[in-house]
Amino acid sequence: MPTLSKLFEKLLLKQLLPIIENTHLIPDFQFGFRRKHSTIKQVHAVVKKSSNALENKQFCCGLFLDVAQAFDKVWHAGLIHKIHGVLPKAYCSLIESYLKDRTFQVSYNGALSNWCSIQAGVLQGSVLEPILYLLYMSDIPTSDQVDNPMFADDTALLAVADDQEQGIEMVQQHMNKLLKWTNRWKIKINSDKSKHVVFSLRYQKDLPLHVGQSVVTKSRSVKYLGLNIDEKAKCNEIRAKLTSKYYWLIGRNSILSLENKRLMYLAILKPIWLYGITLWGAASQSNVRNSPKYYTSVIHTFPH
């Protein structure tokens, strides 16, 4: 993008953020692209709710949704309609002018397509992209019975009940209401990539959850914001990335120098290890360790 466009976006964002925060336009359960909100805090909220259900011998029924091409499918006319009701007129006019009359052309093997109008999608790499997406999703339906934790387009529906059938019904009713909203605003839910997990220590029936006409596959675990949460509300996704993928480079038989091994450990392995440590750090070894041989070798090589 031109330098002036980047500067304009930053200045506009600086003016928009106080208005959005003071008027609470973005719901509290949306953690994406917000200051003092992180992926770990959102995962912790999901784990805490499911863990409390387990302690009370209840069922926590979860539906983790995959939004297809979330940022590329933001409908410009719908976004402009929404912001006109919540932002000052001057800012609405600026954003409308910023989005309208954009065109694209495809080049392939020296041939050029005709110019086409862009009707959807927020600009990739733009500093306004995240906030425009959050404004577009800000009026997502809510329910007193179903929690709706979100991090940008990562969306979960969680309902706690004493009976599994009741919990599934609560999630299904909310999903039906959510589907009407997504259809209205041209948002597509990818049912093939969505996951259905029931967190409980009790016996579970094989009850279906539907997204439209499609049945969401029931799973024993779900990967949510980089951490794998199983049906017992335990996080155990820390290890596969660390073992066979890098051991040949940092193991005892590697020809790399100790200095280079340490650099690779600090730059690649340690951040993966530390991510989510507040959730899995106190877990039992059986839930943290995947391949003891690799872990032992790495830890002995780099104790600090």
Side-chain angles (χ1 to χ4, degrees):
M1 292 179 63
T3 303
L4 285 177
S5 292
K6 295 179 180 178
L7 181 61
F8 165 75
E9 285 189 8
K10 290 185 178 180
L11 292 174
L12 179 58
L13 182 64
K14 189 175 181 180
Q15 298 295 320
L16 282 175
L17 284 178
I19 298 174
I20 292 171
E21 292 174 357
N22 292 336
T23 54
H24 304 286
L25 294 182
I26 299 174
D28 293 337
F29 54 79
Q30 172 61 267
F31 276 36
F33 310 113
R34 301 181 66 187
R35 281 180 282 185
K36 299 182 180 180
H37 292 69
S38 65
T39 55
I40 291 302
K41 287 184 177 179
Q42 191 65 291
V43 178
H44 190 275
V46 172
V47 172
K48 182 178 180 181
K49 186 174 184 68
S50 53
S51 297
N52 288 341
L54 265 64
E55 291 178 4
N56 295 325
K57 298 181 179 180
Q58 295 175 305
F59 292 90
C60 180
C61 301
L63 181 58
F64 296 81
L65 302 174
D66 179 82
V67 181
Q69 299 176 312
F71 291 87
D72 295 332
K73 294 293 185 179
V74 174
W75 181 32
H76 288 176
L79 174 60
I80 293 169
H81 172 77
K82 289 185 178 185
I83 63 174
H84 269 291
V86 294
L87 292 179
K89 186 176 180 181
Y91 293 110
C92 293
S93 300
L94 275 174
I95 295 174
E96 184 175 356
S97 174
Y98 177 78
L99 292 173
K100 279 190 171 181
D101 300 324
R102 289 186 176 271
T103 57
F104 72 94
Q105 189 178 48
V106 179
S107 172
Y108 181 74
N109 285 342
L112 291 174
S113 71
N114 295 327
W115 287 100
C116 299
S117 177
I118 300 176
Q119 302 294 332
V122 286
L123 299 178
Q124 295 186 15
S126 163
V127 296
L128 281 177
E129 174 191 25
I131 202 68
L132 291 178
Y133 179 79
L134 296 186
L135 289 173
Y136 188 65
M137 299 291 288
S138 61
D139 62 339
I140 189 170
T142 58
S143 170
D144 294 334
Q145 297 178 318
V146 179
D147 283 0
N148 193 18
M150 298 178 65
F151 195 96
D153 59 321
D154 287 298
T155 305
L157 306 179
L158 300 172
V160 175
D162 295 327
D163 183 78
Q164 185 183 355
E165 288 91 340
Q166 182 186 1
I168 293 291
E169 182 62 24
M170 290 160 60
V171 174
Q172 187 64 69
Q173 288 181 2
H174 187 72
M175 183 65 235
N176 294 341
K177 182 168 65 172
L178 180 61
L179 203 58
K180 292 180 181 178
W181 179 84
T182 57
N183 291 336
R184 179 183 180 186
W185 298 108
K186 302 184 185 298
I187 300 170
K188 182 180 179 182
I189 303 296
N190 193 338
S191 57
D192 294 336
K193 294 184 178 180
S194 299
K195 289 289 186 71
H196 165 212
V197 181
V198 177
F199 303 99
S200 179
L201 298 176
R202 297 167 59 183
Y203 170 76
Q204 298 182 20
K205 300 177 182 178
D206 192 11
L207 301 175
L209 264 175
H210 296 82
V211 175
Q213 301 299 321
S214 303
V215 178
V216 180
T217 305
K218 188 174 182 297
S219 177
R220 299 187 63 180
S221 64
V222 62
K223 190 170 185 179
Y224 184 65
L225 299 178
L227 289 176
N228 199 53
I229 310 173
D230 65 18
E231 59 186 1
K232 296 182 181 179
K234 295 178 180 178
C235 295
N236 50 23
E237 174 70 17
I238 308 295
R239 55 266 185 226
K241 299 177 183 178
L242 304 177
T243 55
S244 58
K245 194 171 184 179
Y246 297 107
Y247 183 72
W248 66 279
L249 280 174
I250 64 174
R252 298 182 182 184
N253 297 327
S254 172
I255 62 174
L256 288 178
S257 65
L258 183 61
E259 182 180 356
N260 286 333
K261 290 180 181 179
R262 182 177 181 275
L263 180 62
M264 181 169 291
Y265 165 75
L266 293 176
I268 300 176
L269 301 185
K270 188 177 179 180
I272 298 175
W273 251 331
L274 294 183
Y275 180 73
I277 194 171
T278 55
L279 291 171
W280 62 263
S284 63
Q285 290 299 312
S286 61
N287 294 318
V288 176
R289 183 177 57 229
N290 183 48
S291 183
K293 177 180 70 173
Y294 291 142
Y295 276 96
T296 303
S297 299
V298 172
I299 291 171
H300 284 175
T301 306
F302 307 107
H304 302 296

